[in-house]
Amino acid sequence: MEPDWEGGLAELRAALGRKLLERPAERLLYRYDALLSGPAPRAVLQAESAADVQVALRSCSRHRLPAVARGGASGLSGGAVPTGPALVISTTRMTRVSIDPAGRLARVEPGVINQQLQELLRPHGLYYPPDPQSSRQATLGGNLAENAGGPQCFKKGVTGDYLLELEFVTADGQLWQMDRSGTDLPGLIVGSEGTLAVITGATLRLSQLPSQVRTARALFGKLEEAGRAVAEIIRRGLLPAKLELMDQASIAAVEQAFHLGLPSAAALLLCDCDGEDPEEVDREIAEVALAFRSAGALQVDLASNPAEAERQWYARRSVSPALGRIKPRRMNEDIVVPRSELPQVMQEIRALGDASGLPLVIFGHAGDGNLHPNIMYDPAEGRWAEVQALAHAIAKVAIAHGGALSGEHGIGLAKRPFMAEAVPQETLRAYRAVKRALDPLNLLNPGKILPEERPL
Ligand SMILES: Cc1cc2nc3c(=O)[nH]c(=O)nc-3n(C[C@H](O)[C@H](O)[C@H](O)COP(=O)(O)OP(=O)(O)OC[C@H]3O[C@@H](n4cnc5c(N)ncnc54)[C@H](O)[C@@H]3O)c2cc1C
């Protein structure tokens, strides 16, 4: 059955009134995320409650209308970008939060911005560990839908590790509330990129802010030495709170953009160790420094106070904003590889970048084996095929070393072309079976994650 937009939109208008945006200028604002853009949606629902989402999805289901959930649109894989005529369901007005400090829980709606939750928690001495670097823009619904990570996730785990209960609406408009006992259905929705359900609420676990934090920065003469240092830290059984990488190109981009006085080096690793016992934390950061040196670090500096540590972390957070100085657009990779493979993987990716002649910047959550090689390009230069070829070659390096296409940004549209190579056919069949069970009409975020069916 073809989508019935006329009947569907009339029904949505009658039920949702001014929450439904239909003017072209308004719709245009909902066609992109932080990486890609697509056609403007046919309409946008600014949902204010789970009931609004239910009403919308019931109409979509009756009239066969595709629906794309959207949070802060900070996604880096095209997840919230419509692939054809669609209703976008925006959650940015669903921002209720209640905090239970004694129980270390927060009950949130999906449109709450990650950073806003952190600010509400700080006076209670608490925090929410999943900390994507986009925390000022990304919503908790988007974080759940992507199973987002961040620097702190090395030690503390990713978004899904902090979910206790999930509320979501399936494509037929039914509302579900579940904890994770028994068969973990919420776990299935986490990381499903809006393809299985629209998340309308969650209960999240919180942690106590550590009282002791030490920061170390190491500079390396070769990129692969930084990879070796990460492998050495893992080998020694150390568990820093954060362990992040910037390569020469990212250091240079940040320096050019923000003039922070960063030294030049082939690579930089930034590490935090945290805990409650000052002596233990001192011991751990000293061992990290030893691991850095044994991998060939040219220089290791310990931050002497929190302000200095903050300046170093500010540099790391500035990588993405600085990239626009190199070229106007980027193709963002998000590979994750076993940490023992990092030195070799880094070397191979750098060599691919050099051979391509395209600017390639590498940074990421090295402690997790999660690298973000960013291919910088200018659409006016007409090198899109080369960009795609380099992205594909990098994906192949990850696969060859036992890694995966995405550590945290999701597959979305950007990595979808590589899925058939990266994931065995039987696994793809299982994904499709799950999709059919929850969304038999393929209405939720169609055209994402799963590659086109191959003819038998
Ligand atoms: C500068 C920068 C730094 C970043 N750093 C990190 C990082 O450190 N770690 C990391 O993991 N990511 C990072 N990202 C990527 C991005 O911020 C995350 O993927 C984030 O979780 C997306 O949240 P959002 O609200 O912006 O989601 P959107 O971009 O709006 O949507 C992302 C996906 O989630 C789906 N979705 C959104 N809301 C819902 C919902 N309520 N129910 C169901 N599906 C939904 C969408 O359909 C889409 O598929 C970064 C992005 C930028 C621009």
Side-chain angles (χ1 to χ4, degrees), residues 107-448:
R107 168 88 200 146
V108 300
E109 286 190 331
V112 176
I113 305 283
N114 182 301
Q115 182 70 29
Q116 284 172 345
L117 177 64
Q118 309 290 6
E119 279 160 19
L120 290 170
L121 295 175
R122 209 166 296 130
H124 299 287
L126 298 172
Y127 75 119
Y128 173 62
D131 60 339
Q133 298 282 278
S134 51
S135 61
R136 277 172 292 180
Q137 183 185 347
T139 63
L140 295 170
N143 293 170
L144 285 159
E146 297 285 7
N147 200 11
Q152 289 178 154
C153 296
F154 177 39
K155 180 172 182 178
K156 297 294 241 168
V158 293
T159 298
D161 297 317
Y162 289 84
L163 177 69
L164 283 174
E165 292 169 349
L166 191 68
E167 182 190 278
F168 55 94
V169 180
T170 36
D172 55 3
Q174 181 155 350
L175 181 76
W176 304 86
Q177 273 171 320
M178 293 181 195
D179 64 23
R180 307 191 69 174
S181 55
T183 301
D184 181 12
L185 285 182
L188 194 63
I189 307 298
V190 170
S192 68
E193 304 182 28
T195 63
L196 299 181
V198 177
I199 294 162
T200 53
T203 306
L204 305 173
R205 267 186 327 118
L206 308 172
S207 291
Q208 188 186 328
L209 278 166
S211 64
Q212 305 296 321
V213 182
R214 308 281 183 274
T215 302
R217 186 183 73 180
L219 305 177
F220 296 88
K222 289 187 183 146
L223 179 61
E224 55 272 24
E225 286 171 352
R228 221 181 295 142
V230 175
E232 179 60 18
I233 285 171
I234 304 302
R235 196 191 64 74
R236 291 178 182 224
L238 300 170
L239 190 55
K242 305 178 186 173
L243 184 51
E244 297 281 309
L245 168 81
M246 289 166 69
D247 78 342
Q248 187 164 35
S250 14
I251 299 169
V254 170
E255 198 44 34
Q256 270 170 25
F258 301 110
H259 313 293
L260 303 178
L262 290 176
S264 71
L268 175 164
L269 282 176
L270 195 54
C271 178
D272 268 6
C273 291
D274 69 4
E276 295 308 314
D277 178 347
E279 282 174 19
E280 218 170 90
V281 182
D282 281 342
R283 213 169 21 247
E284 194 177 21
I285 202 81
E287 272 205 60
V288 166
L290 279 178
F292 283 160
R293 288 198 184 94
S294 76
L298 301 172
Q299 190 181 323
V300 181
D301 301 302
L302 297 189
S304 51
N305 56 57
E308 192 183 326
E310 171 49 27
R311 270 198 302 282
Q312 294 178 351
W313 282 108
Y314 179 76
R316 167 63 187 93
R317 281 198 301 276
S318 303
V319 174
S320 278
L323 293 185
R325 300 269 176 144
I326 302 177
K327 294 278 175 186
R329 299 289 289 273
R330 59 171 162 159
M331 171 56 96
N332 178 294
E333 292 271 343
D334 175 36
I335 57 169
V336 60
V337 296
R339 288 163 296 195
S340 55
E341 301 290 308
L342 274 174
Q344 185 62 23
V345 166
M346 286 173 169
Q347 208 171 13
E348 288 180 29
I349 293 177
R350 190 64 269 161
L352 284 169
D354 292 346
S356 74
L358 289 160
L360 179 72
V361 181
I362 306 172
F363 58 97
H365 313 304
D368 288 326
N370 184 199
L371 297 179
H372 298 317
N374 274 240
I375 308 163
M376 306 307 302
Y377 69 99
D378 182 344
E381 290 172 356
R383 300 182 71 182
W384 179 239
E386 290 167 72
V387 172
Q388 282 285 70
L390 179 55
H392 194 177
I394 293 171
K396 280 185 175 166
V397 170
I399 297 164
H401 286 272
L405 296 180
S406 172
E408 55 179 20
H409 297 162
I411 302 298
L413 276 176
K415 280 105 194 173
R416 186 175 177 244
F418 314 139
M419 276 293 272
E421 277 168 83
V423 179
Q425 283 301 312
E426 56 272 26
T427 308
L428 290 175
R429 272 198 290 278
Y431 287 169
R432 286 200 173 94
V434 171
K435 172 77 172 160
R436 271 195 296 274
L438 286 173
D439 179 18
L441 302 173
N442 191 24
L443 298 178
L444 291 180
N445 213 358
K448 305 291 166 59

